[in-house]
Amino acid sequence: MRWHTICTRNALINGNYTLIKNNSKYLVPKEIAADYGSLSDEILMRILYRRFMRLRPFVSCRKMVRDTYTDYLRYKFKVEDYDLKRSLIFKESSNASVKEQVWNSLTFVTKAVTYLPETAVVKWDLARDNTTCRQILKNILTMEYQKASEIGQAAKRKSKSNPYSDLKLRFNHIRNCDSSASFRAFGEFDISLLYLNEMLRTRL
């Protein structure tokens, strides 16, 4: 099937990619980016949350993946006790502030949804960096979907276990990786993600 390029006021679209003509609504304004540390936590988090959400259409063409991304953001901003989760692996305090971690996380996701071809024309390391971010984000969302599936299945079975509390609130899959096969899979992934966050100064 031959794809034609569709031109709208805001974008150019073909069978593989979408080129946004005006990206201002998706990026933090330069005047804020230059001095985001001076903003209050509440104001900055509101700005960053909106930008995360606006990137949703670019995460995937599949609704299931976009919905998983939305649920993931809501959990990260409104529910997760990241300090508790982190303290299970690291005893010392982080060198990065929450503002810096969330800011860097937005940069990470922006790179993940930005496509650059890995060719001689485009700087290879920049294109590869974006590709790596995209692959990591895909893995995170895959694991989040699997967690949601396990939580949903337990609810249907009316199981005495509470996987939502285990995986999302108390992080028992990190505390007790050997308790079950699912705990090991989820636990080892989240532990690796915590180490990645320490390296990148993010809060993924």
Side-chain angles (χ1 to χ4, degrees), residues 12 33 42 44 70 95 98 108 119 122 164 167 174 177 180 187 194:
L12 295 173
E42 181 180 357
L44 180 62
T70 301
N95 292 325
V98 175
F108 183 97
T119 66
V122 178
Y164 182 83
L167 300 174
I174 296 177
C177 271
S180 67
L194 285 167

Side-chain angles (χ1 to χ4, degrees), residues 51-108:
R51 263 57 187 191
F52 273 114
M53 281 298 186
R54 288 174 183 175
L55 293 176
R56 181 179 184 271
F58 308 111
V59 170
S60 176
C61 60
R62 299 172 61 191
K63 183 178 183 299
M64 179 187 71
V65 179
R66 295 196 303 271
D67 289 347
T68 300
Y69 173 77
T70 301
D71 292 340
Y72 168 69
L73 288 182
R74 288 173 177 162
Y75 166 73
K76 294 292 288 187
F77 274 86
K78 300 179 180 181
V79 178
E80 183 186 54
D81 185 345
Y82 185 80
D83 290 335
L84 171 61
K85 184 178 181 180
R86 183 185 178 279
S87 70
L88 300 177
I89 302 300
F90 303 102
K91 302 308 177 186
E92 68 281 1
S93 300
S94 174
N95 292 325
S97 67
V98 175
K99 288 181 179 180
E100 181 185 359
Q101 290 171 340
V102 180
W103 180 273
N104 290 342
S105 297
L106 177 61
T107 301
F108 183 97

Side-chain angles (χ1 to χ4, degrees), residues 138-199:
K138 179 181 177 181
N139 288 339
I140 291 172
L141 296 180
T142 297
M143 294 302 285
E144 288 300 310
Y145 180 80
Q146 293 301 325
K147 287 178 184 178
S149 296
E150 180 145 326
I151 292 168
Q153 290 171 9
K156 288 181 180 179
R157 296 194 306 266
K158 297 182 179 180
S159 173
K160 292 182 179 179
S161 64
N162 187 346
Y164 182 83
S165 177
D166 288 335
L167 300 174
K168 298 286 191 175
L169 302 179
R170 293 182 51 78
F171 311 113
N172 288 330
H173 63 300
I174 296 177
R175 299 174 192 267
N176 305 300
C177 271
D178 295 329
S179 295
S180 67
S182 64
F183 267 31
R184 175 164 291 280
F186 293 136
E188 290 186 351
F189 181 86
D190 279 356
I191 290 171
S192 297
L193 189 57
L194 285 167
Y195 276 101
L196 180 68
N197 283 334
E198 291 300 301
M199 292 172 55

Side-chain angles (χ1 to χ4, degrees), residues 21-67:
K21 295 180 180 179
N22 184 358
N23 60 15
S24 59
K25 68 178 289 187
Y26 305 103
L27 303 178
V28 177
K30 291 181 179 180
E31 59 272 19
I32 294 178
D35 192 25
Y36 70 86
S38 65
L39 297 175
S40 69
D41 290 353
E42 181 180 357
I43 292 175
L44 180 62
M45 292 306 144
R46 189 181 302 129
I47 291 172
L48 297 181
Y49 182 75
R50 287 173 181 166
R51 263 57 187 191
F52 273 114
M53 281 298 186
R54 288 174 183 175
L55 293 176
R56 181 179 184 271
F58 308 111
V59 170
S60 176
C61 60
R62 299 172 61 191
K63 183 178 183 299
M64 179 187 71
V65 179
R66 295 196 303 271
D67 289 347

